[in-house]
Amino acid sequence: NGQVLLSILYAADDEGKPLSSMDVAANFSQGIEIPGARPKMRESINTVVQHVDCYMINSRKLGVKVIMDVHCRVEDLFDLELTTDVRGLSDIQVLREKGSFKQVIGYNKDRYEFNEELILTADAPAIGRILRSDCKVVIKDEKPIEGKVEVNGLLGIDILYRGDIEENQLQYQEFEVPFTQYIEVPAAEKNMECVTESILQECHLEVNENADGERRVINAYMVLGMGAGIFSDTEREVVVDAYSPTNVVDIEKNMFSLSEFVGKSRSNVVVKETISIKHGDPEIEKVCYVNVLPIVNEVKLLDDRVLLEGMVECTAVYESSYSAEPMCSITEQIPFRHFMDIPGARLSMPCTVKCSADSVNFSKINNEIIELRVVLGVYAEVMRHIEKKLMENIEAVEGISIDYGRMPAVTIYMVQKGDTLWSIAKRYNTTVDALAKLNNIENPSGVATGMQIMILKNIRIS
């Protein structure tokens, strides 16, 4: 459940066709099927506006169509008990594997409020009316410290407004408010890995007068939701299989489907380009505002890298000298391509990408061309799906032992593809050490397909 916030600029049906605006909040509710999702699991939502259509119904009514992608990820954090040893039978054979895991140390999310006073630059006229405002959060870096995650970033506020003296005088102002916030995660320590998520939940602007009675002060109230997760690399040696050459044992194994954090990357993409009016369009007198919508079309995972391909949809609003059409706009799409290094990333791994326009600079080159410099903030996070069958319980079956009387004295076994010395020893109720010694195998972990293995009846339990 949420809202699409629409900020619409339009040329008013008055003398001189002055630029005006209206803000609309459209509610939406969308169900997303996620098999396995349960109440109290942790959800992460990312929305991306892909396309907006706006059309006139009549002079007082507009129709708007918004196409938006909604990405939802649901996570369940749980403790997984791993078997590290098996005891009780004197001849029990145990197969262990070393595994490296990124253990989840802790997670927390909170709500942070900001009250900031913004002052117009001295050369800018006082505010008559704000026509449009864009508020955004730009995360610069995050790092774990003792018991917390430190997040450094900027709150960006851009406004397009009409001056208070000349009604048609349009001005554009940018403000940046640096911030440092701390998310409490009691188990956090230095040198651990962390991931953060942030969303600007509210942004309200109120114009006030300064000491001279001029409307040059903006009071901004913003609410930022932030969460942080902490990971630590850990190595564990776990039991993946066991058997007894002389006793029947009952092994209980379960298949686990796990997602493990692989890595993240945060970087900037600088897009520099020019956009031009089309033949016959009114010439540019003054650039008032440029709206930028970054769209990621494709994400490709390579070895240790992520490739992003997309486009930046730029819409420039400008004043023209043509009295019949004083306000005009240009829309163009600029492609971009960007590589991000994430060690451990591999083809087909799930990858979450967020892309935002962190900074937009524009200038008029001549009456037909506008130069743009857009800084995109790009964040990528790679996960790995693990399907692993883990042993949960093993018990000896009382009263039943293996009958060696019916087994042949000598067996010659030809190694098949996928065989290991462990699987052969388990199948023929002997041990890896016995087979290696009898067949002069120096490296028990490496047996080649087609190799012949001799198995003697009298060494099955030696």
Side-chain angles (χ1 to χ4, degrees):
N1 298 301
Q3 288 184 323
V4 178
L5 305 178
L6 302 167
S7 181
I8 300 169
L9 295 177
Y10 65 93
D13 190 15
D14 289 331
E15 185 180 350
K17 295 189 176 180
L19 195 67
S20 192
S21 68
M22 63 178 177
D23 296 322
V24 180
N27 296 322
F28 72 89
S29 181
Q30 178 68 39
I32 301 175
E33 297 290 334
I34 301 184
R38 298 289 182 270
K40 297 184 179 179
M41 288 184 177
R42 195 178 79 202
E43 79 288 343
S44 176
I45 307 291
N46 183 33
T47 57
V48 180
V49 175
Q50 294 284 8
H51 186 70
V52 179
D53 273 334
C54 187
Y55 53 92
M56 286 183 60
I57 297 174
N58 56 48
S59 62
R60 302 198 62 82
K61 187 182 291 186
L62 298 174
V64 179
K65 179 182 178 181
V66 179
I67 298 175
M68 181 172 65
D69 288 344
V70 181
H71 304 272
C72 181
R73 186 172 76 195
V74 176
E75 296 175 322
D76 188 21
L77 301 182
F78 58 92
D79 292 325
L80 181 64
E81 292 187 350
L82 303 175
T83 304
T84 57
D85 200 7
V86 180
R87 298 173 187 170
L89 294 175
S90 59
D91 63 348
I92 193 72
Q93 304 296 302
V94 178
L95 179 64
R96 295 180 175 87
E97 283 185 4
K98 280 188 177 180
S100 296
F101 306 92
K102 286 191 185 293
Q103 183 178 357
V104 181
I105 301 300
Y107 177 83
N108 190 23
K109 62 180 179 180
D110 212 338
R111 186 175 182 268
Y112 302 88
E113 296 183 359
F114 298 85
N115 283 287
E116 297 292 335
E117 188 177 81
L118 312 174
I119 310 295
L120 294 181
T121 56
D123 59 338
I127 298 171
R129 178 188 170 191
I130 293 179
L131 299 176
R132 179 186 170 95
S133 62
D134 286 323
C135 303
K136 55 182 176 284
V137 57
V138 179
I139 302 299
K140 294 295 186 181
D141 65 75
E142 62 274 284
K143 59 183 178 183
I145 56 177
E146 297 300 324
K148 301 175 184 177
V149 174
E150 180 182 294
V151 182
N152 297 291
L154 294 171
L155 294 172
I157 303 170
D158 306 335
I159 63 168
L160 176 68
Y161 70 94
R162 183 183 295 140
D164 64 342
I165 298 175
E166 296 183 39
E167 194 171 291
N168 289 336
Q169 185 184 29
L170 297 176
Q171 295 292 325
Y172 178 72
Q173 284 268 298
E174 294 179 293
F175 302 94
E176 287 187 345
V177 180
F179 71 85
T180 298
Q181 284 293 334
Y182 297 92
I183 305 173
E184 300 285 339
V185 184
E189 297 178 5
K190 286 184 179 179
N191 302 321
M192 288 183 175
E193 288 187 80
C194 71
V195 294
T196 60
E197 55 185 4
S198 59
I199 182 170
L200 195 59
Q201 296 175 338
E202 295 180 46
C203 184
H204 303 290
L205 305 181
E206 182 180 310
V207 181
N208 294 309
E209 295 180 352
N210 61 12
D212 298 325
E214 295 181 319
R215 288 165 53 87
R216 306 183 64 83
V217 180
I218 301 172
N219 290 106
Y221 170 74
M222 290 162 284
V223 177
L224 181 61
M226 286 197 296
I230 297 291
F231 301 87
S232 177
D233 286 321
T234 183
E235 282 197 357
R236 292 284 187 273
E237 192 175 65
V238 298
V239 175
V240 295
D241 200 9
Y243 70 95
S244 167
T246 58
N247 293 274
V248 176
V249 294
D250 184 19
I251 297 176
E252 182 183 344
K253 289 186 177 183
N254 278 320
M255 181 67 76
F256 289 88
S257 179
L258 311 172
S259 291
E260 186 182 40
F261 174 74
V262 174
K264 65 173 183 177
S265 180
R266 191 185 299 278
S267 61
N268 294 116
V269 185
V270 179
V271 179
K272 293 180 69 175
E273 192 57 85
T274 59
I275 60 176
S276 308
I277 63 173
K278 294 181 176 61
H279 180 71
D281 285 350
E283 293 185 343
I284 302 166
E285 187 169 289
K286 177 186 175 182
V287 183
C288 301
Y289 172 78
V290 176
N291 182 66
V292 171
L293 176 64
I295 299 170
V296 177
N297 293 324
E298 191 169 7
V299 179
K300 295 179 182 177
L301 269 75
L302 311 171
D303 285 350
D304 302 318
R305 303 181 88 188
V306 176
L307 169 62
L308 310 180
E309 293 182 335
M311 62 184 180
V312 181
E313 187 175 278
C314 302
T315 300
V317 177
Y318 68 92
E319 292 179 354
S320 79
S321 56
Y322 183 43
S323 59
E325 201 172 347
M327 299 304 306
C328 302
S329 67
I330 315 167
T331 299
E332 285 195 21
Q333 294 178 342
I334 305 170
F336 72 88
R337 197 167 187 260
H338 182 59
F339 285 96
M340 306 176 75
D341 292 327
I342 301 183
R346 295 293 182 268
L347 186 70
S348 77
M349 285 184 178
C351 181
T352 300
V353 171
K354 296 181 181 180
C355 185
S356 61
D358 290 352
S359 175
V360 181
N361 296 107
F362 52 86
S363 60
K364 169 186 164 183
I365 293 180
N366 56 41
N367 291 339
E368 297 181 349
I369 301 174
I370 300 171
E371 184 177 56
L372 300 177
R373 184 181 185 273
V374 179
V375 179
L376 301 177
V378 183
Y379 174 81
E381 180 182 303
V382 176
M383 305 291 288
R384 171 172 51 229
H385 284 331
I386 303 171
E387 297 284 340
K388 207 166 188 66
K389 186 174 277 190
L390 299 175
M391 192 170 69
E392 290 199 305
N393 190 42
I394 180 170
E395 291 182 359
V397 180
E398 295 185 6
I400 302 177
S401 59
I402 295 172
D403 183 7
Y404 284 90
R406 297 181 180 182
M407 296 181 181
V410 179
T411 301
I412 304 297
Y413 178 79
M414 184 171 291
V415 177
Q416 306 296 310
K417 185 178 180 180
D419 281 342
T420 63
L421 207 58
W422 169 272
S423 65
I424 298 169
K426 182 179 180 180
R427 184 184 307 169
Y428 289 95
N429 298 100
T430 181
T431 67
V432 170
D433 290 342
L435 290 182
K437 184 177 180 181
L438 177 65
N439 292 273
N440 296 318
I441 299 173
E442 295 182 1
N443 181 16
S445 62
V447 288
T449 302
M451 181 179 177
Q452 291 186 345
I453 302 291
M454 180 184 292
I455 305 166
L456 300 181
K457 177 178 180 179
N458 62 0
I459 62 102
R460 294 181 189 280
I461 59 175
S462 61

